[in-house]
Amino acid sequence: MAQSILDTMPGASTGALVVTDHLNFWGGKRVKPRQEKYLEPVFEPATGRILCQMVPCGAEEVDEAIKSAHDAYQKWRKMSGMERARVMLEAARIIRERRENIAKLEVINNGKSITEALVDIDVSWQTIEYYAGMAGTLAGQHVQLPGGAFAYTRREPLGVCAGIGAWNYPFQIACWKSAPALACGNAMVFKPSPMTPVTAVILAEIYKEAGVPDGLFCVVQGGAETGTLLCHHPMVAKVSFTGSVPTGKKVMEMSSKTVKQVTLELGGKSPLIIFKDCEMENAVKGALMANFLTQGQVCCNGTRVYVQRDILPQFLEEVVKRTKAIRIGDPLLEGTRMGALISKPQLNKVLGYVEGAKKQGARVLCGGDPYVPSDPKLKDGYFMSPCVLDNCRDDMTCCEGEIFGQLCQCCLSTQRRRSSRGPTTLPLDWPLESYQDISRAHRVAENLEAGTCFINNYNVSPVEVPFGGFGRENGQVDHRVLLQLKTVVVEMGDVESLFEVLLPSLHFCSHKCE
């Protein structure tokens, strides 16, 4: 069972864990795959060794999970918001109590540093706690009408929601999608990324332990085919997807066939805009935070750094110095600040962007090479030295595509109009501005076409505020798209009808007609 896996985490080390438990979950328990002929290996990024085998769910299994979720939904939706809140608060407490063990398992499956993973788990329980607090406040509206009549609205759950997660924040994304859905009275069937299938089922078991009805949060494993089954299933009322723009388009198209509601949390190519009046120390810190969290595998990372000419040399010097000092290695060690990329193909993709940038005229100031840690067990891991590029232009491939790797591209900003309009050429951008002139900061933020702007900070995403570029999650946005509004109109007197005046008077004869 998953709890036994967590029990082994205090003494866990990189390269030692093998996961053999079933990774599907519905009906309140882990479920054995019906057939195991389509096994897909799941790798530990830090070592390159096989961590476990993932078996994709087929149509029958997806249908069974969705029906399990629907049965649980029928019970959950009838509970009051306060009753749901108590269960969710218990789930948050359990996660908080086991944060270190969950974080270690996340690191082994994902490759990020334990320092970051602990933050991710804290964000996870805080998300559940936040939406538990909101569950009891969801209410409709009363409207008084003429003549004593009135109307009221009911905010009702949608039903079974499908969540499709990504591999960069496996446990946190599962919480981001499930917590608001459950708070609103819905059930969820969640499909994690096939590269990080291990921790979502831990969340399912925690929800069960906390007291949700069996089946309320189900986990189905698989890739594109399993995701397609979720999008097409007639009993799924909404799909929430986190991933790439091309896949997001397919999800939207498939979901439209049965007119499902859709939330898309997609990728980006975000710019940092650094003006010469910035506080240099904070600007450099912001650049590192914007580029190198989770080995650069973050949708909102600010990988295009626009710097004004007057401060560019000083900025580059400081960024390069601190980038070279980042400690790369075993992600389970507390001193490590950069772990491994998610897979060998992803590593090769990022290295390919570096080579392409050099051919197009960019200068490599540091990094951009495969990195082999001194620990022998890490020799086959997917490590790369963090890279800083200079002399980049907007028309370069590295400045156009979402790289999803530790690659910072610095561009000279020669005019204010150019800098503030830079983000609008690409979809789903999330800019940062670094200034001391706060008036200009607000003015630029107003004119940027972007879903999220950071001023003098970066990657600060508390659950209380909406997060997103095209789609939105967190804050008070989620409950608006996870509930449907029903209007009830009540007449306290007689029914008025326009058609009565059109009807002739009817006279009934009391005698038999012959």
Side-chain angles (χ1 to χ4, degrees), residues 210-421:
V212 305
D214 287 349
L216 192 72
F217 181 79
C218 302
V219 177
V220 295
Q221 301 292 345
E225 291 185 8
T226 306
T228 298
L229 292 170
L230 290 172
C231 292
H232 283 303
H233 200 285
M235 291 179 69
V236 170
K238 175 182 172 63
V239 179
S240 179
F241 168 80
T242 297
S244 70
V245 175
T247 305
K249 291 178 180 179
K250 294 177 182 177
V251 168
M252 179 178 281
E253 181 182 1
M254 289 186 293
S255 300
S256 70
K257 305 297 183 184
T258 46
V259 200
K260 301 184 195 307
Q261 296 193 39
V262 176
T263 294
L264 301 178
E265 193 59 68
L266 305 176
K269 187 65 180 177
S270 311
L272 282 74
I273 305 170
I274 300 179
F275 282 79
K276 63 183 179 182
D277 66 339
C278 72
E279 204 289 311
M280 181 60 70
E281 175 72 11
N282 285 329
V284 172
K285 287 180 180 178
L288 297 179
M289 290 294 290
N291 279 275
F292 298 138
L293 284 179
T294 312
Q295 298 75 251
Q297 300 165 127
V298 183
C299 62
C300 55
N301 269 1
T303 56
R304 292 182 293 149
V305 185
Y306 293 89
V307 187
Q308 284 195 294
R309 184 187 301 275
D310 294 355
I311 62 169
L312 182 60
Q314 181 188 1
F315 175 83
L316 290 174
E317 180 182 354
E318 285 298 316
V319 166
V320 169
K321 180 174 70 174
R322 299 192 192 193
T323 299
K324 288 180 177 179
I326 294 174
R327 182 173 174 181
I328 312 166
D330 188 338
L332 280 179
L333 298 181
E334 291 184 1
T336 298
R337 287 298 176 267
M338 182 169 289
L341 289 159
I342 188 66
S343 67
K344 186 72 170 180
Q346 184 66 20
L347 171 61
N348 291 335
K349 173 187 172 184
V350 180
L351 293 172
Y353 268 105
V354 175
E355 290 303 313
K358 290 193 290 187
K359 291 177 181 178
Q360 290 182 314
R363 287 188 303 162
V364 177
L365 301 184
C366 68
D369 300 310
Y371 182 85
V372 181
S374 57
D375 189 337
K377 68 184 177 185
L378 307 179
K379 64 182 178 63
D380 294 322
Y382 315 132
F383 294 94
M384 171 183 151
S385 55
C387 180
V388 178
L389 294 176
D390 181 27
N391 199 36
C392 296
R393 305 182 310 274
D394 284 343
D395 61 348
M396 288 181 172
T397 303
C398 66
C399 290
E400 292 180 337
E402 185 180 27
I403 298 173
F404 240 53
Q406 55 271 55
L407 183 56
C408 172
Q409 305 114 60
C410 295
C411 307
L412 176 64
S413 175
T414 57
Q415 47 185 303
R416 186 174 64 182
R417 176 179 176 82
R418 173 73 166 173
S419 296
S420 60
R421 288 186 59 82

Side-chain angles (χ1 to χ4, degrees), residues 418-439:
R418 173 73 166 173
S419 296
S420 60
R421 288 186 59 82
T424 66
T425 60
L426 294 166
L428 316 177
D429 290 296
W430 319 52
L432 169 146
E433 305 100 37
S434 185
Y435 317 89
Q436 290 186 357
D437 182 350
I438 199 67
S439 296

Side-chain angles (χ1 to χ4, degrees), residues 445-507:
E446 177 186 1
N447 286 283
L448 285 167
E449 296 179 18
T452 301
C453 296
F454 299 99
I455 298 175
N456 291 333
N457 58 23
Y458 205 89
N459 273 332
V460 179
S461 301
V463 65
E464 298 94 328
V465 298
F467 172 92
F470 177 78
R472 300 292 188 280
E473 291 181 316
N474 293 349
Q476 297 186 33
V477 172
D478 272 318
H479 77 265
R480 296 171 187 167
V481 297
L482 287 162
L483 291 166
Q484 53 191 337
L485 203 62
K486 177 184 287 181
T487 300
V488 181
V489 182
V490 182
E491 175 59 63
M492 300 298 289
D494 295 330
V495 177
E496 295 183 3
S497 174
L498 295 175
F499 299 102
E500 287 188 6
V501 297
L502 302 178
L503 297 174
S505 299
L506 299 178
H507 300 282

Side-chain angles (χ1 to χ4, degrees), residues 56-119:
C57 285
E60 291 183 2
E61 292 164 302
V62 169
D63 185 64
E64 189 175 322
I66 291 172
K67 287 178 178 177
S68 173
H70 189 267
D71 289 344
Y73 157 71
Q74 296 296 344
K75 302 172 185 175
W76 185 250
R77 71 189 298 267
K78 294 178 181 178
M79 296 169 63
S80 70
M82 289 299 293
E83 290 174 316
R84 295 197 294 266
R86 281 192 288 270
V87 175
M88 294 180 65
L89 287 172
E90 176 63 9
R93 184 199 66 79
I94 295 170
I95 294 171
R96 186 166 60 247
E97 185 179 89
R98 301 173 190 167
R99 65 186 287 269
E100 290 85 3
N101 293 343
I102 299 171
K104 284 185 176 181
L105 187 58
E106 187 89 320
V107 168
I108 292 170
N109 193 189
N110 168 272
K112 68 172 62 183
S113 72
I114 186 64
T115 303
E116 286 191 45
L118 285 167
V119 175

